[in-house]
Amino acid sequence: MGLLIKNGEIVTADSRYKADIYVEDETITRIGRGLEAPPGTEVIDATGKYVFPGFIDPHVHIYLPFMATFAKDTHETGSIAALIGGTTTYIEMCCPNRNDDALEGYQLWKGKAEGNSACDYTFHMSVTKFDDKTEGELREIVQDGITSFKIFLSYKNFFGVDDGEMYQTMKLAKELGVIVTAHCENAELVGRLQQSLLAEGKTGPEWHEPSRPESVEAEGTNRFATFLEATGATGYVVHLSCKPALEAALSAKARGVPIYIESVIPHFLLDKTYAERGGVEAMKYIMSPPLRDKRNQKALWDALAQGFIDTVGTDHCPFDTAQKRLGEGDFTKIPNGIPAIEDRVNLLYTYGVSRGHLDLHRFVDAASTKAAKLFGLFPRKGTIAVGSDADLVVYDPSYRGVISAKTQHVNNDYNGFEGFEIDGRPSVVTVRGKVQVRDGKFVGEKGRGKLLKREPIYF
Ligand code: DUC
Ligand code: ZN
Ligand code: ZN
Ligand code: ZN
């Protein structure tokens, strides 16, 4: 049975027009005015609404053993939350520990998602060590359609790589047409600063940011860019949070280094004063890189509006208040993460487009199209065109609401954006032609999501 979305205003990264969209099976087959549909077609009236391509979150953690515990979502809860918020595809970080085998890790992560996600998904494969065996396994994983790597310059004891391993990872990525994504903070410096703060009795959550200052992120970003330059690999900085790191990345870009930038929604809207409230209220706002001084937010919004920041993701990573309390008396033990998978699109629309910081096309580009292009999903995902997957978000800009943990679908007992107003939300969300969400409710089929096989890209 077909699906017809009538009278909406289609908005992509580069076009805006009124037309109907006809979907057969999983694919958009016609776009035009006054389309007729055979009897039995499901018709959705999108009068007064935008129709956006399904949004893509390029950076989430669903299954994640980390900091003596596990992130709280499953693919069932995480994907339903994503879909309600308009995200129809997410890219999860597959993060085996340094001591674990890469291929076994990949199979484990893949197994957690298979048959459980209601939206489509793929992975960035973390390279957490580099030796001959790992290299062979990485080649196999790329063959399976995973054409992006992730490296951590931080988290030395969990996933972090040293500079030599970063170099080898980039050489392999260059050969295979794989983009290297990176968490850029200087691990050694963070470790030393943490130890000296603790030794001075500075143990509360307000010391998390001073243990990972802006300069530490700028150094990591600059080092990552330097290694890209030397190896010729293409890179993508994840969750860039501050002006000095932005300057480091942009100065590399200006000299021709192929480097792309992601920032995540918490850094646009929350600042370090949230982590200075004391006790568990502060611990809820611990993530890395940390929430920063508020002056950075303008730099991020401006860079996003101008296209210097390419994508907006979440770094979704839920830990509940009981887990956050693992760091009572020692800020280095607070599980890092602020969940946002459900709220990213509505927050970016509200505080970007609706409140005048962001052009509507740049919004679609940053929240969907650019990620599709960078990660080998375009034009299957990230646009509205004949032949593309029918991942569509009928968006109601007249909706008014307030974010609250009481109404969220993420598996967590708080929401870092509690009380934030939203000026719009998806009224219908489809994944490959099937209606999965209507007006804030999941009405679809659990476990329908597919692992997306991606092709290498030689940038
Ligand atoms: N930062 C977080 O806050 N959580 C997960 C991993 C990361 O890099
Ligand atoms: Zn990270
Ligand atoms: Zn992350
Ligand atoms: Zn415009």
Side-chain angles (χ1 to χ4, degrees), residues 240-316:
L240 181 137
S241 74
C242 61
K243 204 162 175 245
L246 181 64
E247 284 162 357
L250 292 181
S251 95
K253 210 180 182 87
R255 63 178 193 269
V257 180
I259 187 167
Y260 297 90
I261 302 171
E262 168 199 277
S263 292
V264 295
I265 201 72
H267 290 126
F268 287 91
L269 295 170
L270 305 170
D271 64 76
K272 69 177 183 182
T273 61
Y274 285 84
E276 293 168 353
R277 299 166 159 190
V280 78
E281 279 314 305
M283 295 180 190
K284 293 174 180 175
Y285 291 95
I286 296 305
M287 67 178 291
S288 294
L291 298 180
R292 298 298 190 188
D293 188 284
K294 201 170 176 61
R295 72 184 162 72
N296 288 289
Q297 290 175 3
K298 184 171 166 13
L300 295 186
W301 281 113
D302 287 349
L304 177 64
Q306 291 163 13
F308 292 127
I309 289 173
D310 296 282
T311 62
V312 177
T314 55
D315 202 11
H316 177 76

Side-chain angles (χ1 to χ4, degrees), residues 122-192:
T122 173
F123 302 96
H124 298 301
M125 183 64 209
S126 297
V127 180
T128 51
K129 62 170 175 280
F130 201 101
D131 49 35
D132 289 347
K133 180 163 177 281
T134 304
E135 181 184 333
E137 294 179 351
L138 291 171
R139 288 177 186 276
E140 254 183 78
I141 293 164
V142 173
Q143 284 286 320
D144 201 36
I146 303 303
T147 55
S148 47
F149 292 154
K150 166 77 182 285
I151 55 173
F152 292 88
L153 310 194
S154 60
Y155 300 123
K156 225 175 168 182
N157 305 326
F158 302 99
F159 327 108
V161 289
D162 64 27
D163 287 354
E165 292 168 316
M166 167 157 65
Y167 179 82
Q168 288 178 292
T169 302
M170 287 181 181
K171 293 283 275 189
L172 181 65
K174 168 84 179 158
E175 180 199 325
L176 298 179
V178 162
I179 184 170
V180 182
T181 75
H183 176 134
C184 299
E185 290 181 302
N186 185 310
E188 190 63 41
L189 201 42
V190 170
R192 300 285 169 155

